[in-house]
Amino acid sequence: MRAEKLDRPVPGFNDRERGELIHHALEHLWSELRNSAELLAISPAAQSQLVNESVARALANLSRVRDPGVRWQLRERTRMHGVLGKWLDVERLRAAFEVEHLEQGAPVARHAGLDFNVRIDRVDRLADGARVLIDYKSGAASPDWRDDRPDNPQLPIYALLQPDALVAVAYGRVNAGECRFIAETERVGVFKPGGRISQMEGMTSLAELVGVWSQRIERLAADFAAGRAEVAPTARACKSCHLQSLCRIPGALDEGAHLDE
Ligand code: SF4
């Protein structure tokens, strides 16, 4: 049916646009800073200037597509300045790193004969050459890549494209309410001092987990390619689905019926 979700009209920039603004601003910011040593050395005044410049570029880019007006641009500029300052404080806590790639248009990911266009926000190199993949989220974020039917297989697909020396994958939640990393990591202290190894779904290394992800993604893609589409949504999928007005299943959800949790 190709039913698309309609954007909800809101004053100023909407959530999607705010996400784009944060992505653009961070891309510029890290194209200038490049590594954790620069971040730790930058003065508060220079940081403020760099953040302002990054925000201004992001706003100028987006406003060429849709401009909600000067008043909203000024409000967004102030909001983003605060959020990005908080985010850089989170990045300051990390083990030493160098940004290797930004907003990398990767080769197409191919699973079960299907092509997936992906864009990895950032790849960092740690001091010993190990790699960390990061995807920014400006809204809610949780470890939704786990389990046999993940709600969001984005990080596993990225990891399968760049498995070499990979020790961690993470969402970077860049949000006024909370800035933090939500990660799968085989190393302590990658994202903050004393940070722990994640559960890795019971595996002993990220490489082992990437092997599990490979089989899982291949199976899901093969099911999709074969047209296998039993009505067996997870409860979480139905709650966030934009097709509820076209679908009978949420009624079953309300009755607490058989759907997977
Ligand atoms: S509401 Fe649930 S069953 Fe219906 S289309 Fe959305 S995810 Fe699928």
Side-chain angles (χ1 to χ4, degrees):
M1 295 172 77
R2 291 183 180 270
E4 300 289 341
K5 186 179 184 180
L6 293 176
D7 281 339
R8 182 195 296 256
V10 291
F13 295 101
N14 62 33
D15 289 346
R16 180 182 51 76
E17 290 168 332
R18 285 178 159 185
E20 280 178 31
L21 286 169
I22 288 286
H23 275 75
H24 283 155
L26 282 168
E27 185 184 2
H28 178 69
L29 209 149
W30 282 111
S31 70
E32 294 291 318
L33 278 176
R34 299 307 313 178
N35 58 49
S36 55
E38 293 284 333
L39 174 63
L40 292 173
I42 196 169
S43 69
Q47 177 179 312
S48 185
Q49 191 181 341
L50 177 59
V51 170
N52 274 337
E53 189 185 302
S54 305
V55 170
R57 289 173 72 113
L59 282 167
N61 262 341
L62 186 62
S63 296
R64 276 197 280 274
V65 181
R66 192 182 80 84
D67 185 358
V70 174
R71 187 165 64 104
W72 290 104
Q73 285 202 31
L74 287 175
R75 284 180 66 144
E76 194 59 23
R77 185 178 296 235
T78 307
R79 191 191 74 83
M80 285 178 70
H81 196 278
V83 173
L84 292 173
K86 272 173 83 169
W87 176 250
L88 291 179
D89 288 343
V90 170
E91 297 250 25
R92 275 194 179 85
L93 300 176
R94 294 181 52 195
F97 65 86
E98 178 137 5
V99 176
E100 188 176 69
H101 293 295
L102 286 166
E103 299 280 343
Q104 188 184 21
V108 171
R110 178 166 275 246
H111 297 287
L114 300 178
D115 289 343
F116 297 83
N117 292 317
V118 298
R119 190 167 190 86
I120 303 173
D121 287 341
R122 188 166 142 197
V123 182
D124 286 0
R125 275 262 186 202
L126 304 184
D128 66 350
R131 280 204 176 97
V132 176
L133 300 182
I134 296 169
D135 189 65
Y136 300 123
K137 297 283 178 202
S138 55
S142 63
D144 56 6
W145 59 82
R146 290 183 181 147
D147 300 325
D148 269 356
R149 296 175 63 205
D151 285 313
N152 189 353
Q154 182 184 14
L155 285 179
I157 288 175
Y158 292 173
L160 290 169
L161 274 172
Q162 302 233 354
D164 293 344
L166 196 62
V167 293
V169 297
Y171 290 146
R173 187 172 190 225
V174 188
N175 182 278
E178 183 186 45
C179 284
R180 71 183 174 105
F181 285 101
I182 300 156
E184 207 73 83
T185 174
E186 67 175 34
R187 276 197 193 177
V188 296
V190 173
F191 297 106
K192 61 180 178 183
R196 296 190 202 143
I197 290 170
S198 66
Q199 67 181 57
M200 294 194 292
E201 300 191 48
M203 302 299 127
T204 54
S205 69
L206 201 69
E208 200 181 339
L209 182 58
V210 169
V212 172
W213 285 343
S214 172
Q215 291 174 8
R216 189 175 283 165
I217 299 296
E218 212 60 35
R219 180 179 48 76
L220 289 169
D223 281 355
F224 183 85
R228 219 163 280 134
E230 297 97 47
V231 182
T234 62
R236 200 179 146 114
C238 287
K239 279 179 188 153
S240 61
C241 179
H242 64 278
L243 299 174
Q244 289 184 357
S245 57
L246 300 169
C247 180
R248 290 172 293 125
I249 299 302
L253 247 189
D254 293 342
E255 290 152 28
H258 59 281
L259 305 178
D260 294 347
E261 283 296 335

